[in-house]
Amino acid sequence: MTIDLPPGPLVETEWLAAHLGHPRLRIVDMRGTVLPPTAPKPHYFPRYEDYAAGHIPGAVYIDWTRDIVDLDDPTPVQIAPPDKIAYELGRRGIGDDTVVVAYDDWYSMFAGRLMWVLRYYGFEQVRVLNGGLVKWLAEGRPLTSEVPDYPLANFTPRPQPHLRKTADQVLQALGGDMLLIDARNEQEYRGFESRASRGGHIPGARNVFYQSLVSGPHQTYLPPDQLRERFLAAGIDPAETADREVVAYCNGGVSATPTAIAFELVSGRRVAIYDGSWNEWGNDPDKPLER
């Protein structure tokens, strides 16, 4: 049985509702929490209890703080190695021949992170639910507490190195043609708040706060013309970046993903993620910064 995904990074709630129960569809609940920079650490939490209380029918749960990260990496929430990804996805029934739709209820940043992880490992049949659970509930669509039991699947990781940047790669590109986009809020960008030991931003980075790219009570992405205005206001013209490598970062490579999705919506181009982001750069006294 075939299932046709619409082009681009998003699917709408109408599409998902029409395909519930499709044997190749895997819906992933990615709900989590990030506390403000001023809160005591730890700042990162999963929300399995909310999934257990009610989720979109057929959805499995992935813990963004453990299941898709490298727990041995000293920098928080770095992408997990391929064998772990293959195991965690496969045991949830996500394999090479499935279609994945991810959602959360916070500006799609956790769902966006999963999409980036899957794309990094060469899996293309993945989309983010536009508006996530917020829009789904606002439309009166169903929830369930039933946990699905899918057969084990074979997920084959095929890393795409161009989608993930390291600190050394970013450092070497400073002053060149790389376009850096900082997705944090303005207080963090300007160094007044920080999750790391130092405040500020990577030299030359432009600031496009991820929450500024969605609209209204449903947390859906702004229309392309309004998204373009947000980037232009930050000094970025998506139409003039065809020859530039574009890299987004935040604190841990998670809230950078909605900004990356927005850039893709207006330019048609994918954005690489600096995975270590400010959690790494801001704690390294040898890395340059600006305020």
Side-chain angles (χ1 to χ4, degrees):
M1 245 181 119
T2 60
I3 180 170
D4 294 322
L5 278 170
L10 304 176
V11 294
E12 302 299 326
T13 51
E14 294 82 3
W15 184 95
L16 183 58
H19 290 84
L20 288 181
H22 193 288
R24 289 183 56 201
L25 177 64
R26 297 294 180 265
I27 306 168
V28 182
D29 188 313
M30 290 294 298
R31 278 178 283 179
T33 296
V34 176
L35 297 181
T38 53
K41 291 184 178 182
H43 290 163
Y44 299 155
F45 298 95
R47 285 169 47 205
Y48 179 82
E49 67 280 2
D50 292 331
Y51 166 81
H55 50 266
I56 294 176
V60 298
Y61 185 76
I62 285 181
D63 179 342
W64 77 281
T65 70
R66 299 189 64 84
D67 296 336
I68 56 174
V69 307
D70 185 351
L71 296 176
D72 295 325
D73 195 307
T75 301
V77 295
Q78 297 299 280
I79 192 169
D83 55 344
K84 180 175 180 179
I85 289 293
Y87 170 75
E88 292 291 351
L89 296 179
R91 74 185 184 95
R92 290 170 171 84
I94 299 171
D96 297 338
D97 61 348
T98 55
V99 167
V100 174
V101 174
Y103 73 88
D104 58 57
D105 60 0
W106 191 258
Y107 301 93
S108 297
M109 70 184 222
F110 305 108
R113 175 68 177 187
L114 179 65
M115 182 172 72
W116 175 76
V117 167
L118 291 177
R119 283 176 164 184
Y120 173 77
Y121 279 119
F123 184 87
E124 290 294 319
Q125 295 293 95
V126 54
R127 301 291 187 272
V128 168
L129 182 64
N130 194 17
L133 193 62
V134 175
K135 187 169 188 282
W136 184 269
L137 291 176
E139 295 170 342
R141 300 190 188 275
L143 295 183
T144 183
S145 59
E146 181 179 351
V147 177
D149 183 19
Y150 296 115
L152 294 175
N154 182 46
F155 183 90
T156 308
R158 300 179 180 90
Q160 308 294 309
H162 65 282
L163 292 178
R164 179 180 186 261
K165 296 301 176 184
T166 65
D168 286 343
Q169 288 172 323
V170 172
L171 182 64
Q172 290 169 11
L174 292 185
D177 289 334
M178 178 183 285
L179 171 60
L180 280 171
I181 306 177
D182 188 320
R184 299 173 301 160
N185 66 44
E186 186 178 8
Q187 291 291 100
E188 293 175 285
Y189 175 77
R190 296 192 178 279
F192 299 121
E193 296 179 357
S194 182
R195 297 184 189 278
S197 60
R198 305 184 303 159
H201 57 269
I202 299 174
R206 303 288 186 165
N207 186 211
V208 184
F209 183 35
Y210 75 99
Q211 291 185 25
S212 71
L213 302 169
V214 300
S215 65
H218 292 169
Q219 295 187 6
T220 52
Y221 280 86
L222 293 168
D225 58 335
Q226 294 182 37
L227 290 177
R228 189 171 290 106
E229 290 175 3
R230 295 292 192 274
F231 285 104
L232 288 171
I236 300 168
D237 185 348
E240 296 181 354
T241 61
D243 297 328
R244 302 181 68 184
E245 190 170 32
V246 184
V247 178
Y249 75 93
C250 51
N251 285 297
V254 179
S255 62
T257 62
T259 297
I261 289 171
F263 190 89
E264 182 177 343
L265 289 171
V266 297
S267 70
R269 297 180 57 215
R270 292 191 183 176
V271 174
I273 299 295
Y274 167 29
D275 202 10
S277 284
W278 200 252
N279 285 335
E280 181 178 40
W281 195 279
N283 282 313
D284 185 347
D286 294 328
K287 294 293 189 294
L289 57 77
E290 290 179 344
R291 289 189 173 88

